[in-house]
């Protein structure tokens, strides 16, 4: 593969995302022509009802899907690079469950409405803490860290965090009513302030990921070679996990625990475009946004006028993919 070919594929992915995004803005209960959408974006009139539908509803929904999908795609790519395994995924390894538990506790304490800007940071803290426990327990025992132990600890601690979340919700009916749809992975009911609050931790995490990409490339060659190339293993892994926690927390804070985007997208990018993380990370962001927009569109139209939570749609498609990948990996 020539050096220019991945760049061409990145440009093609960007064009495909732009086209799907425009179709997403056009579709819905009422079709709006693309020319009318461009007019509203370039010359927004808050007094015009159609302009408000495009900007305050559809554009907000699209922006949220793009940010959440991009965050999950980059988080999965980073996580798989850190643990050097294609089955690594924030939802499977406990990050989403930890973030959801932290947000539910934050909401039950009555702080969510008054501190919207802190919600992504709270979710990131919960994600990082639970994943730290996953890695701590995975390193215990005589054989040390293995993939099977990481997966088992991730699934077990995810279930434990989910049971704690359920307990909090059973004790607080008001919180249950406010987060019930969000826990299924839902992109509706968001606001521009919430999206802006999620933008800064996402941007920080992406900058950290791109900065770490040369070191993570070296890490794929093995610890010994990476050290010989001047990579500080512990520092690189800690910063990468912090970036994964920020990305997962941002996604969960906005849309709830949406799974399997971080599993499917990185593997597709490595297979179809490149394994170089300097390019694979931005490709994962675009690919994650693209797949989540498609999943969200399918969730809204499959049983119209009834909507399905986007997280349900990603799970329906992603769970079989994970089973197939796991069967091939462990055979």
């Amino acid at each position: 593969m020539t050096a220019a070919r991945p760049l061409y594929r990145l440009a093609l992915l960007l064009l495909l995302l732009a086209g799907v995004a425009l179709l997403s803005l056009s579709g819905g209960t009422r079709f709006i022509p693309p020319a009318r959408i461009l007019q509203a974006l370039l010359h927004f009139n808050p007094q015009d009802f159609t302009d408000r539908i495009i900007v305050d509803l559809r554009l907000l929904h699209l922006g949220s899907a793009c940010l959440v999908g991009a965050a999950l795609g980059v988080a999965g790519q980073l996580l798989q690079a850190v643990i050097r395994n294609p089955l690594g995924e924030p939802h499977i390894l406990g990050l989403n469950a930890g973030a959801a538990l932290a947000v539910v506790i934050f909401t039950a304490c009555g702080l969510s409405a008054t501190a919207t800007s802190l919600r992504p940071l709270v979710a990131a803290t919960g994600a990082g803490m639970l994943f730290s426990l996953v890695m701590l327990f995975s390193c215990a025992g005589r054989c040390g860290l293995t993939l099977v132990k990481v997966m088992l600890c991730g699934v077990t601690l995810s279930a434990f965090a989910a049971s704690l979340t359920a307990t909090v919700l059973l004790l607080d009916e008001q919180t249950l009513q406010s987060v019930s749809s969000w826990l299924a992975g839902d992109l509706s009911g968001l606001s521009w302030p919430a999206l802006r609050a999620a933008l800064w931790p996402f941007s920080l995490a992406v900058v950290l990921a791109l900065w770490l990409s040369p070191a993570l490339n070296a890490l794929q060659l093995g610890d010994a070679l990476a050290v010989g190339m001047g990579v500080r293993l512990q520092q690189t892994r800690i910063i990468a996990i912090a970036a994964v926690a920020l990305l997962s927390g941002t996604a969960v804070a906005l849309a709830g625990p949406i799974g399997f985007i971080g599993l499917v997208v990185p593997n597709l990018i490595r297979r179809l475009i490149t394994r170089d993380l300097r390019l694979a990370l931005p490709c994962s962001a675009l690919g994650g946004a693209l797949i989540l927009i498609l999943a969200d569109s399918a969730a809204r139209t499959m049983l119209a006028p009834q909507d399905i939570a986007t997280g349900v749609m990603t799970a329906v498609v992603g769970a079989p993919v994970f089973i197939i990948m796991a069967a091939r990996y462990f055979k």
Side-chain angles (χ1 to χ4, degrees), residues 67 198-210 246-247 250:
L67 193 147
L199 191 59
W200 72 264
F202 168 79
S203 303
L204 174 61
V206 169
V207 169
L208 287 175
L210 292 173
L246 277 174
L247 291 164
T250 298

Side-chain angles (χ1 to χ4, degrees), residues 162-187:
S163 66
L164 291 180
T165 301
T167 301
V168 173
L169 294 177
L170 287 173
L171 296 175
D172 190 341
E173 186 176 349
Q174 184 176 356
T175 302
L176 173 61
Q177 293 176 352
S178 64
V179 302
S180 57
S181 61
W182 170 84
L183 281 173
D186 194 7
L187 288 166

Side-chain angles (χ1 to χ4, degrees), residues 52-317:
R52 292 184 62 184
I53 289 178
I54 294 171
V55 174
D56 292 338
L57 293 179
R58 296 189 181 182
L59 184 62
L60 173 61
H61 198 92
L62 175 65
S64 302
C66 286
L67 193 147
V68 171
L72 293 174
V74 175
Q77 192 71 258
L78 269 181
L79 189 57
Q80 291 173 17
V82 169
I83 68 174
R84 290 203 292 264
N85 191 276
L87 298 180
E89 202 264 345
H91 194 69
I92 298 169
L93 297 185
L95 285 103
N96 285 1
L101 175 60
V103 170
V104 167
I105 293 175
F106 187 67
T107 304
C109 292
L111 301 174
S112 182
T114 57
T116 303
S117 60
L118 292 178
R119 187 164 168 166
L121 186 59
V122 170
T125 302
M129 290 176 65
L130 194 65
F131 186 67
S132 297
L133 288 177
V134 170
M135 297 304 292
L136 179 64
F137 290 134
S138 300
C139 292
R142 295 181 180 178
C143 58
L145 184 69
T146 65
L147 172 63
V148 174
K149 289 171 66 176
V150 171
M151 301 296 291
L152 289 176
C153 288
V155 172
T156 302
L157 288 177
S158 292
F160 176 69
S163 66
L164 291 180
T165 301
T167 301
V168 173
L169 294 177
L170 287 173
L171 296 175
D172 190 341
E173 186 176 349
Q174 184 176 356
T175 302
L176 173 61
Q177 293 176 352
S178 64
V179 302
S180 57
S181 61
W182 170 84
L183 281 173
D186 194 7
L187 288 166
S188 61
L190 295 173
S191 63
W192 284 111
L195 185 59
R196 286 192 292 268
L199 191 59
W200 72 264
F202 168 79
S203 303
L204 174 61
V206 169
V207 169
L208 287 175
L210 292 173
W211 176 62
L212 287 175
S213 58
L216 291 173
N217 276 336
L219 199 62
Q220 306 312 300
L221 303 175
D223 290 358
L225 284 176
V227 170
M229 297 172 68
V231 176
R232 298 180 179 178
L233 297 181
Q234 186 175 4
Q235 176 181 316
T236 299
R237 288 189 172 114
I238 289 175
I239 296 176
I241 290 173
V244 172
L246 277 174
L247 291 164
S248 300
T250 298
V252 172
L254 274 180
I258 294 178
F260 300 105
I261 296 292
L263 172 72
V264 175
V265 171
N267 284 283
L268 287 176
I269 296 300
R270 284 195 300 270
R271 181 178 293 270
L272 299 177
I273 299 180
T274 182
R275 291 181 174 272
D276 185 347
L277 287 171
R278 292 172 297 180
L279 188 60
L281 288 171
C283 286
S284 295
L286 296 177
L290 174 63
I291 289 182
L292 192 58
I293 291 172
L294 293 174
D296 181 62
S297 298
R300 286 186 293 159
T301 57
M302 184 170 290
L303 296 179
Q306 297 295 323
D307 288 348
I308 306 174
T310 309
V312 174
M313 184 61 61
T314 59
V316 167
V317 176

